[in-house]
Amino acid sequence: MLTAPEERATPAEIRKKSGESITIRWVDGHTSTFAARYLRGRCPCAQCVSETSGERLVSEEHIRPDIALEAARTVGNYALHFSFSDGHTTGIYSFDYLRRICPCEECA
Amino acid sequence: MSEAAITESKVLDALRSVMDPDLRRDIVSLNFIRNMKIEGGTVSFDVNLTTPACPVKDRLREQSRQAVLDRVPGVKDVRVNMTAEVRRPPAPETGRIRGVKNIIAVGSGKGGVGKSTVAANIAASLARSGAKVGLLDADIYGPSIPIMMRSKDEPEIKDQVIQPVNAHGVKLMSMGYLSGEMPLIWRGPMAHKALQQSLLGVNWGELDYLVVDLPPGTGDVHLTLVQTVPVTGAVIVSTPQDVGLQISMKTLRMFQQTKVPLLGIIENMSYYVCPHCGGRDEIFGHGGAALAAESLGVPFLGEIPLDPAIRKHSDAGMPVVLAEPESASARALAELTGKLAQQVSIQAFRSVPLTIVEE
Ligand SMILES: Nc1ncnc2c1ncn2[C@@H]1O[C@H](COP(=O)(O)OP(=O)(O)OP(=O)(O)O)[C@@H](O)[C@H]1O
Ligand code: SF4
Ligand SMILES: [Mg+2]
Ligand SMILES: [Zn+2]
Ligand SMILES: [Zn+2]
């Protein structure tokens, strides 16, 4: 089926812990918790990843440890948009991408 | 012999035997039964379906009537009133157009497959069934809906909000209205803003369905659409000549990647009906879309014949489903619209609510 490969990347529940992290429970039961700094260091936007070479320009070590996740909202049916305390707001994180970068031991 | 009284709960128990074929649940637990009245041996109630375009309306009416007659002792007469209320999927509140319950995107792999014709007929057919419908022409490269829906009017702007044009009972907005003196090729950011304005800056009012006619292929307009509003689902129009549907595949994949559910595939200009003898001619060996739909696990919504009348009525400004509703082509379009409305209802019940819980 066409929808099979990404089916896992469908969220059943999304929780935000103020400032700190976002937790997604996926439809297959798996749970991913993303800390603010981890997310900010994996921003997929064109300022953080070179559009021509695909090279990551801003990664976790460039981010101050006390960065906060100020706001989160959904984008259509398919992604989340975050605002960070360093003023960065240009990343759109698709659920496919978020599932791929799940930091849990099982996935890493 | 004295008969036990007819009670509401007995009637509801009887109606639990009637299943909605799409949602695979009984019509009582789906909360379809409304306004029940019991007077002597006469029972009356409404069955509130998920769309006025429901293709199995008559069957559900008859099954409901029979269930009560057969299962509740003492009932002499059953009056079933079929009503409908389009449910909205539990999508996020952000970016929603207030009052708009479902957004249906109509796309195609390549141009000229009849996407706008199909979009106009779907909108007109939904409106004809009694639903509240809007139609947004988002094809910045060749807006054609205003001609197909015969609207010479341009939308008015009141308090910075665009008032859509009313055409055959459908609220109409075209990106063409915003282009004015613009060159035909829009630059990316301009197209982006124009589409956002056409979605969010329009007084759509209450709509059961907003049908969006997209430009062919994939591109910025698609991305802007799915990023701006929660799209209930997408329909792909193809023709038998689409080489193995390959181009449509790219479009399919784009919707899939942005989590827009595929409501189905339509094959247009599928076969030719001879206007003289009524004979059916399979010009291009049709059926490719049905096969592709099956292998992809996407519903196949139907075939539309290559019929000069479809074009004639479009050119004259009235979709064939309104101009000649009894013609074979109009019936094919109406039937496919019913199937589409079914798929929208299924999505509305299936989708998980996407909200972020703050702790
Ligand atoms: N089933 C049909 N039978 C006969 N003519 C049709 C049929 N469907 C569409 N047409 C005609 O084919 C032409 C192209 O249709 P339409 O403009 O709807 O295609 P489109 O896919 O929207 O094209 P574009 O890519 O330019 O937006 C029109 O003249 C239309 O009237
Ligand atoms: S369209 Fe489908 S879901 Fe809606 S009432 Fe009819 S059968 Fe049920
Ligand atoms: Mg068109
Ligand atoms: Zn970034
Ligand atoms: Zn994991």
Side-chain angles (χ1 to χ4, degrees):
Chain A
M1 252 199 27
L2 184 79
T3 46
E6 276 83 14
E7 200 98 284
R8 311 179 315 142
T10 304
E13 189 184 39
I14 309 169
R15 295 183 162 271
K16 175 174 173 289
K17 206 166 197 165
S18 74
E20 281 170 38
S21 64
I22 195 116
T23 298
I24 302 176
R25 185 168 56 78
W26 306 96
V27 287
D28 65 354
H30 193 76
T31 300
S32 313
T33 297
F34 305 94
R37 185 162 185 249
Y38 182 88
L39 278 178
R40 175 65 187 90
R42 283 164 185 75
C43 174
C45 88
Q47 288 165 41
C48 299
V49 180
S50 160
E51 260 181 298
T52 43
S53 70
E55 187 199 345
R56 175 154 291 286
L57 306 173
V58 178
S59 54
E60 211 174 333
E61 67 261 25
H62 301 118
I63 309 298
R64 42 188 301 176
D66 63 347
I67 186 122
L69 177 61
E70 288 186 333
R73 66 174 181 85
T74 52
V75 180
N77 301 325
Y78 77 101
L80 293 178
H81 172 260
F82 301 118
S83 305
F84 295 96
S85 56
D86 61 357
H88 197 68
T89 59
T90 38
I92 290 178
Y93 297 65
S94 72
F95 292 122
D96 288 342
Y97 179 63
L98 286 166
R99 178 79 198 225
R100 265 203 313 276
I101 61 165
C102 173
C104 85
E105 252 171 55
E106 208 180 303
C107 296
Chain B
M1 212 173 74
S2 78
E3 276 167 357
I6 302 167
T7 62
E8 189 160 325
S9 75
K10 284 186 202 165
V11 176
L12 288 177
D13 278 344
L15 288 168
R16 269 184 235 282
S17 66
V18 180
M19 300 297 280
D20 181 293
D22 285 332
L23 306 173
R24 294 171 203 281
R25 270 168 60 187
D26 71 88
I27 60 174
V28 176
S29 74
L30 284 167
N31 202 16
F32 282 7
I33 309 301
R34 313 276 167 96
N35 297 325
M36 194 189 301
K37 289 197 191 72
I38 299 166
E39 282 154 0
T42 302
V43 177
S44 64
F45 52 86
D46 296 348
V47 179
N48 194 240
L49 302 176
T50 63
T51 171
C54 174
V56 295
K57 194 190 224 165
D58 293 334
R59 194 170 95 202
L60 286 172
R61 179 207 303 275
E62 191 45 33
Q63 287 177 347
S64 304
R65 206 180 67 82
Q66 275 305 328
V68 178
L69 272 180
D70 293 352
R71 290 169 188 248
V72 186
V75 172
K76 306 265 176 320
D77 191 14
V78 182
R79 293 183 191 159
V80 188
N81 181 34
M82 303 307 275
T83 59
E85 176 195 344
V86 177
R87 277 66 153 183
R88 66 162 61 203
E93 283 302 317
T94 44
R96 231 198 220 307
I97 315 178
R98 212 182 321 130
V100 176
K101 291 179 180 162
N102 291 290
I103 298 176
I104 303 170
V106 183
S108 68
K110 57 170 189 170
V113 299
K115 181 169 38 60
S116 303
T117 308
V118 171
N121 275 285
I122 286 174
S125 187
L126 285 168
R128 188 167 186 261
S129 75
K132 298 191 195 83
V133 185
L135 176 57
L136 171 60
D137 181 4
D139 191 346
I140 46 176
Y141 306 104
S144 52
I145 297 280
I147 297 165
M148 294 181 181
M149 299 289 283
R150 195 200 294 130
S151 81
K152 280 186 230 84
D153 299 349
E154 298 252 326
E156 286 171 27
I157 300 186
K158 262 191 231 147
D159 306 326
Q160 316 228 354
V161 179
I162 302 169
Q163 308 297 319
V165 171
N166 187 323
H168 310 300
V170 173
K171 287 182 184 165
L172 195 69
M173 169 66 196
S174 173
M175 302 255 299
Y177 298 142
L178 297 173
S179 66
E181 301 295 300
M182 293 296 178
L184 273 178
I185 312 297
W186 294 55
R187 277 176 292 121
M190 260 155 53
H192 180 80
K193 287 208 79 171
L195 178 56
Q196 284 193 325
Q197 198 185 351
S198 305
L199 287 161
L200 306 174
V202 173
N203 179 18
W204 292 108
E206 295 282 318
L207 291 184
D208 294 322
Y209 306 99
L210 175 60
V211 179
V212 182
D213 180 21
L214 288 169
T218 57
D220 293 347
V221 173
H222 298 66
L223 216 53
T224 299
L225 176 71
V226 299
Q227 289 180 353
T228 308
V229 290
V231 176
T232 312
V235 181
I236 306 288
V237 181
S238 69
T239 62
Q241 302 103 296
D242 278 1
V243 196
L245 272 161
Q246 272 177 8
I247 340 177
S248 308
M249 285 307 205
K250 266 184 79 180
T251 315
L252 279 171
R253 216 160 288 132
M254 201 246 14
F255 285 123
Q256 183 198 5
Q257 275 161 6
T258 49
K259 296 269 185 265
V260 173
L262 289 165
L263 300 169
I265 297 180
I266 293 170
E267 188 170 89
N268 189 27
M269 311 196 214
S270 207
Y271 51 92
Y272 182 70
V273 179
C274 171
H276 308 295
C277 70
R280 191 170 153 149
D281 191 358
E282 321 271 324
I283 15 176
F284 303 108
H286 84 289
L291 284 175
E294 199 187 326
S295 73
L296 293 168
V298 173
F300 181 65
L301 299 177
E303 305 173 335
I304 306 163
L306 175 68
D307 174 3
I310 294 181
R311 183 191 200 127
K312 181 185 82 187
H313 291 299
S314 270
D315 289 351
M318 185 182 281
V320 70
V321 293
L322 302 180
E324 251 184 281
E326 295 312 321
S327 66
S329 297
R331 284 208 306 269
L333 280 156
E335 191 183 317
L336 147 179
T337 302
K339 287 195 184 148
L340 171 63
Q342 272 182 303
Q343 291 303 321
V344 173
S345 305
I346 294 172
Q347 281 307 329
F349 273 85
R350 181 191 283 160
S351 48
V352 277
L354 254 192
T355 42
I356 300 172
V357 181
E358 301 267 350
E359 287 180 355

